[in-house]
Amino acid sequence: MAKELWKGNEAIAEAAIRAGCRCYFGYPITPQSEIPEYMSLHMPEAGGVFLQSESEIAAINMVYGASGAGARVMTSSSSPGISLKQEGISYMCGAELPGVIVNVMRGGPGLGTIQPAQGDYYQATRGGGNGDYRLIVFAPANIQEVVDLMQEAFELADKYRMPVMMLLDGMIGQMMEPVEWKRPALSPEDLPAKPWATTGTKGERRPNIINSLFINPDACNDHNRHLEEKYQRVIENEQRYEINDADEAEVLFVAYGTPARLARAAARLLGEEGIKAGVFRPITVWPYPYEALHEAASKESVRAVVTVEMSTGQMVDDVRIGVNGIKPVSFVGQAGGVIPTPREVADAARKALGR
Amino acid sequence: MAYNEIIVAGFGGQGVMSIGTTMAEAAMSQGLNVSWLPSYGPEMRGGTANCCVVIADSEIISPIVLEPSELIAMNQPSLDKFEPAVKPGGLILVNKSIVERGIRRDDVRAVYVPSLEIASELGNMRVANMVMLGAYIEATKQLKFETVINMLRHIFTGKKAHLVELNEIALQRGAACSSGL
Amino acid sequence: MAIVYQKTKGLTDAETHYCPGCTHGIIHKLVAESLEELGVLEKTVGIAPVGCSVFAYDYFNCDMLEAAHGRAPAVATGVKRVLPDHVVFTYQGDGDLAAIGTAEIVHAAMRGEKITTIFVNNAIYGMTGGQMAPTTLVGQRATTAPLGRDRNHAGSPIRMAEILATLDGAAYIERVTVISPSHIMKAKRAIKKAFELQMEGRGFTMIEVLSSCPTNWGLTPVNALNWLNENMIPVFPLGVFKDVTKEEV
Ligand SMILES: Cc1ncc(C[n+]2csc(CCOP(=O)(O)OP(=O)(O)O)c2C)c(N)n1
Ligand code: SF4
């Protein structure tokens, strides 16, 4: 199929509709407002629901309701708005409700800046809400990948009955790249049945209940064990990553999203000086591909592992867990909406190699 | 190997973003890889705006352009800001109609385009950007006039079909500014 | 030479970032002049919202706090409870006050919180680029209501002055606008009165100001004022909705 030029945010919205999502709830916030704007026109055209909520808190709870009612549903926001959704996300995890949450990250903390950043890594991967829960978190690095992963995000959400987060940054949301719609568009009739949904008993079954309250601690413990087993299955089956130019690499960059592209640009600069650099890019940041990273870092040629982030250093914790001390791990990054330059990244690599 | 990294910069409302998207669309339809990255934020209201366009026949690594091979400076602040960043041997297209100075570097090439004067001669100020684009295409030979004209045929249909020819002339007039290069 | 007009000390010399023709600037000036004339600038604490007026902390020449989107009345409550003899105000847009911050404003008013809220209603989200606000008129286009606000789908405009006036904690609630010199003078009197009643400890006070957003309405500044006059005032009637001083008579 022919390639089309798409803006990241609009591509996300279109990909969701093509994934059979017919329900969107959200609240405007830069740099992702093009998502609700696109949805406001195209969701009704597709026969779906678009609703601008009064807040992000309301939006995520509308998602809770629509998901409970069996719909393929999504919301989107940017960092400060995602903070407000944390309660709802915790409830969705507790009640085992699927849904897709898009976070087009900007600089924080607080109101921060509207420029691209990655300061929400902890919030996404460690959970910003209460309780023992996890989200599947995809971190695409280009618009084609965003589009490809969107359908998968909805599928995994339904499969595991848990929310999936698309973790992007403002740059991916705002930029345009060619997109090919590889998979056929789904309509809601194509989607798997949800016998657990609260769609009315119609006199044919006992009432379904969607709930995260287990007042008896033993029952709550059992529920947590059940969730944990599910998360283990996700860990076993759903890790995604990409490795570039790792053969004979002296330095291994680890980065997700936009910084992975900067790291590859830095690797080119280093290559011009005869320093071989590879890039390990997690595509799921939860579950984190620890073992694959460990293997890449254990290669004999690798002398230093350098993590690149648009934050003051959050994913670097996971890199340390994965590398587990076999190679030195260092960090380079900028926060608050400033994007590190490939030169800075290359400098950090030279420093890590002691040159 | 072609790898063009372009910054288009000017005042918000000058059509800076659309020059960039037109270039990206054209490059894509020629089978090249492209990316387009806008500046965004409240400063766009009447303030300065810019976009980065990368056009390549290989994989595009980063869409962020820090050292452009080509700069299209639609106003003076943009020239002031981005001139020092242009790669040695690179190209600066200056919108001569409102930029008062010449370039300061001697290791880059410059083309001066009186886009507004040409547009007013053609009787439609909206084609000023097409004039700039024509100058760019002629100077770099990365994109084909034909591609852009085909795109225009898709955009301007029915009652607006006559605009294709006007834009085509604007492209040619712009190209003429680069012909001495 | 005698000075006949001087810029108020209530505003700093910072150049504002508002679009040409936006009436946020006039409203700032009225608030600042009132505080100056009442001689309370030094003991005033203002709360800036999230919206086009987010940078108000750079413009008002008094202590200022920046709050999360919609939470200014809660922040103001915290300030006022610590500094009960100070003048505390919030300056909020319609998205901030009437969408995400509805709970905070209703409860501040219910408690009779002795603060003054300047509510700038421009029927749109300015800062984020023209999305629908709870005050957007039926049929009015917005970037998230591309075909115009549909009553069936998104309801009708919320009238905050009327709603809050039903609460016993509210001491003074008036809706004004700034589309002509006489309207501006009236708005000024309303704002000053609200501050006075706050200082007398009478309760919660709010002045709703109908304001223009030429940029996101897609109108010239003058046409924007005309549009406001013809379309907003019929939906948001001007007037006093609550005045405790009148109730006593
Ligand atoms: C939690 C959160 N959600 C959303 C935003 C994005 N946002 C910034 S301003 C704004 C609305 C502004 O509209 P309004 O309050 O009407 O003020 P105006 O800009 O029109 O003066 C929104 C939604 C944010 N900063 N924080
Ligand atoms: S966007 Fe609207 S409300 Fe904001 S400064 Fe501009 S005119 Fe004023």
Side-chain angles (χ1 to χ4, degrees), chain C residues 175-232:
Chain C
R175 185 182 289 120
V176 297
T177 187
V178 287
I179 54 173
S180 74
S182 63
H183 283 106
I184 292 173
M185 309 242 284
K186 222 172 168 191
K188 165 85 176 284
R189 282 196 293 276
I191 290 170
K192 203 163 166 183
K193 180 163 181 182
F195 280 126
E196 281 166 347
L197 292 176
Q198 175 189 163
M199 287 155 69
E200 289 168 18
R202 304 299 285 270
F204 174 80
T205 53
M206 183 180 86
I207 306 302
E208 175 174 340
V209 188
L210 303 183
S211 184
S212 71
C213 178
T215 299
N216 287 300
W217 295 354
L219 296 172
T220 62
V222 173
N223 287 346
L225 297 180
N226 292 336
W227 186 87
L228 191 164
N229 188 29
E230 284 158 25
N231 298 282
M232 278 182 79

Side-chain angles (χ1 to χ4, degrees), chain A residues 27-30 33 36-38 40-41 49-57 84 111, chain C residues 50 54 66 69 71 95-96 99-100 125 128-129 131-133 143-147 153:
Chain A
Y27 188 78
I29 184 168
T30 313
S33 293
E37 287 169 2
Y38 188 93
S40 71
L41 191 61
V49 179
F50 160 83
L51 195 59
Q52 180 179 318
S53 58
E54 69 274 30
S55 71
E56 292 85 351
I57 301 178
L84 287 176
L111 203 48
Chain C
V50 178
V54 65
E66 208 292 306
H69 193 26
R71 317 299 175 206
D96 198 77
I100 194 166
Y125 284 14
T128 41
Q131 294 84 11
M132 190 187 73
T143 52
T144 49
L147 308 177
H153 171 73

Side-chain angles (χ1 to χ4, degrees), chain A residues 114-116 176 261 264 343, chain B residues 34 36 40 59 61 63 67:
Chain A
I114 56 177
Q115 299 304 320
M176 279 175 136
R261 303 177 71 147
R264 290 196 54 203
R343 280 183 203 284
Chain B
V34 296
W36 173 91
Y40 63 90
E59 182 191 359
I61 304 294
E67 295 165 16

Side-chain angles (χ1 to χ4, degrees), chain A residues 27-30 33 56 77-78 80-82 84 106 111, chain B residues 45, chain C residues 18 24 49-53 68-69 71 91-98 100 120-128 131 133-135 213 216:
Chain A
Y27 188 78
I29 184 168
T30 313
S33 293
E56 292 85 351
S77 189
S78 176
I82 295 291
L84 287 176
R106 61 188 233 182
L111 203 48
Chain B
R45 289 187 203 129
Chain C
Y18 297 112
H24 261 302
V50 178
C52 277
S53 46
H69 193 26
R71 317 299 175 206
Y91 186 107
Q92 302 177 255
D94 44 62
D96 198 77
L97 182 140
I100 194 166
V120 180
N121 178 358
N122 59 12
I124 201 99
Y125 284 14
M127 178 93 178
T128 41
Q131 294 84 11
T135 49
C213 178
N216 287 300

Side-chain angles (χ1 to χ4, degrees), chain C residues 67 89 112 216 243:
Chain C
F89 76 95
N216 287 300
D243 184 351

Side-chain angles (χ1 to χ4, degrees), chain B residues 126-137:
Chain B
R126 292 190 181 191
V127 299
N129 291 338
M130 276 294 148
V131 176
M132 290 307 287
L133 188 61
Y136 176 83
I137 296 175

